[in-house]
Every structure is written in C-alpha cells, then in structure tokens.
Amino acid sequence: MRDLTAVRTEEINVCFLRSIKSLSCLYIVKETWKSMSSNYTAARRAKLEDLAEMSRLSKRPGHTSIGSRSLAFCHPNHSKETLEAYFSMYPQGIFVSEEDDHIISFACAVRTSIKAIEEPIAWSDATAGGKTLGHQKRGQWLYVSRLAYTAGPGHAHVTKEIGPLLIALQNLAVKQGLAGVAIATQFPGRRERSGTTPFQRSCIDDPHDQVRSGLNPTGIAYHAGFRHCLALPNYLGDGRHFALMVWRRNIDQ
C-alpha cells in the first residue's frame, strides 16, 4: 500500500505542473499579441477603388478567395453596392488590412449613440435604414457593422487579419474624440448558455480559456484592450452567438 503522504505530494506536484503549464500558455498568448501588435501598422483607410476588390472576397466561409487563403467570416451581402453605400455615408470608418498587396480583411464602422451598446440588438434589424446603427454624424461611438476576414490554411490564427483593423479603429476614435469602439465578435460554440452574458464573461475572465487566444476575434479584441460588454444571441439570425467587445477611449487606453 502506497504511503498517503507520498500520494498527496504527487497530487500537489501534478496540480503545480498543470498550473505552470496554464500560466505559460497565458504568457505565450499575451506575449504573442504584444509581439505581433508591436509589429503592426494600423490598417489603412479604404479608397473608393478598393471597394471592387473588397466585394470580390468570397461570400461563403471556407471558400478559397486569395491563393491559399479562404474566407473565415463575413457579414451577409458585402456587395459592391453595399460597400459603396458605406463609403458615401462615412468613408473615414472603412479600413482594409493587406498582405502581399491583397486585401485580406476589412471593417466598416459607423458612428452611433451609446444605445447600441446598452442592450442586445440583432444585426439584421440594427443595420436597416433609420435603425439603431444608422450612421449618426454626432454619434460618440464607433460600431463595426460590417466585417470580413480571410485566414490561412487551417485557420490557425487570425491576429494579423483583425489586429490592424482594431488599431485603426482605436486611432480613429482618438482622432475624432469619440467615446470608444464596439465590435461584435463570434463566440465559440452553439450551446444555449454561450449566448448569455454571464457565461461569455466567465469564459473571457478565465485566463486559461481558449476564448482569450488569438484563435478567434474575441480573444484578439481582448488583448487589444477591448472588454466584454454584452452577449448577442443569434446575432445574425443563423443560430450563432456573438460577444459585444468594447474599447473605451478614456478607460482602456
């Protein structure tokens, strides 16, 4: 029969090693973001001539669009006409991230009021004309109401696709003296509770949870200084849940 003291010591050692491993993973995630973001320049502001290339990105995730890259996410219907409407409405809020002179991601933001981050809204309702996310010239918040990004083989990491966009949006908020930036990011999993604010926040608050990694936009936004605000259940009407991540200029800088 094994000595109970030895067994207990062994259990403590195992727990200690697991803790060290978890902390090491967290450190790697943080250092990876710091290293990559320090090498970034902010995504550039889109030009009118960029809209055609932006609209040619695949409309269906998983489909090849640029060499070995494939679309990882997009809001529905990023047609040239839709993008032209954004450009005519608020051209300062459209940014593109590039690789080898090809657009690999883009974001379109509008200025809106704080109402957009105070309670859950559905994207399809909010983006309709005259609704909450209609561009407001005096709005104090930037809200990303259209986003598309590609990923390399295996979709292993999308930091370089999303990171520069977030930096550009933060810079714009500072330049225009706005309150902050809000972006809805897809939350992993389709379980019912993954569409609730308490569950999402508990995952993001857990330093060992993969939600906080560079494998998904929620984690990338977190390490860029954004914080969880609300759960957006069934945000696009297709069963997927999103998290509203918010960066406040006077708090999260």
Side-chain angles (χ1 to χ4, degrees):
M1 185 174 179
R2 297 179 63 186
D3 181 69
L4 292 178
T5 302
V7 171
R8 182 57 181 160
T9 301
E10 183 178 324
E11 290 176 348
I12 292 173
N13 288 337
V14 169
C15 290
F16 176 75
L17 290 173
R18 286 176 178 172
S19 298
I20 292 296
K21 183 177 180 181
S22 297
L23 289 172
S24 298
C25 290
L26 175 60
Y27 176 80
I28 290 170
V29 168
K30 286 184 175 179
E31 290 303 307
T32 297
W33 167 258
K34 286 168 61 179
S35 173
M36 297 184 75
S37 61
S38 64
N39 293 326
Y40 287 149
T41 52
R44 69 170 176 84
R45 180 175 157 184
K47 304 173 184 177
L48 184 61
E49 54 265 34
D50 292 321
L51 303 188
E53 183 179 350
M54 292 162 65
S55 66
R56 285 196 296 270
L57 289 177
S58 175
K59 308 298 188 291
R60 297 176 59 189
H63 285 220
T64 300
S65 54
I66 305 171
S68 61
R69 286 183 162 273
S70 59
L71 186 77
F73 173 80
C74 71
H75 285 102
N77 183 33
H78 56 266
S79 64
K80 189 169 182 289
E81 292 74 20
T82 299
L83 296 173
E84 285 174 345
Y86 273 93
F87 194 86
S88 63
M89 180 173 59
Y90 186 48
Q92 300 96 323
I94 306 178
F95 297 97
V96 296
S97 186
E98 297 174 299
E99 182 180 75
D100 298 329
D101 297 321
H102 291 291
I103 293 174
I104 60 173
S105 61
F106 69 80
C108 303
V110 296
R111 286 180 60 165
T112 188
S113 71
I114 195 172
K115 291 182 179 179
I117 67 170
E118 288 182 327
E119 59 184 38
I121 53 178
W123 177 83
S124 57
D125 294 336
T127 53
K131 299 289 185 177
T132 308
L133 290 185
H135 177 62
Q136 301 172 21
K137 291 183 179 181
R138 297 183 181 276
Q140 285 298 299
W141 283 88
L142 284 177
Y143 192 108
V144 179
S145 55
R146 185 163 291 280
L147 175 70
Y149 58 90
T150 61
H155 290 195
H157 215 289
V158 290
T159 307
K160 68 179 178 181
E161 290 79 8
I162 296 173
L165 298 175
L166 298 179
I167 294 171
L169 290 162
Q170 290 169 325
N171 290 345
L172 178 61
V174 171
K175 182 179 180 180
Q176 296 193 347
L178 305 180
V181 182
I183 181 171
T185 59
Q186 186 175 345
F187 199 84
R190 289 176 177 264
R191 293 169 296 177
E192 182 178 348
R193 62 177 179 162
S194 66
T196 65
T197 295
F199 179 77
Q200 288 189 357
R201 195 162 295 170
S202 69
C203 292
I204 295 170
D205 287 345
D206 181 356
H208 309 143
D209 198 299
Q210 210 172 43
V211 169
R212 277 172 57 162
S213 74
L215 300 174
N216 64 80
T218 301
I220 295 167
Y222 178 86
H223 290 290
F226 287 69
R227 293 296 175 262
H228 187 269
C229 182
L230 291 170
L232 300 173
N234 195 25
Y235 185 57
L236 297 180
D238 58 5
R240 290 181 292 175
H241 304 313
F242 283 65
L244 185 64
M245 302 294 288
V246 169
W247 177 80
R248 293 174 172 82
R249 180 169 62 91
N250 293 326
I251 298 176
D252 299 327
Q253 276 184 289

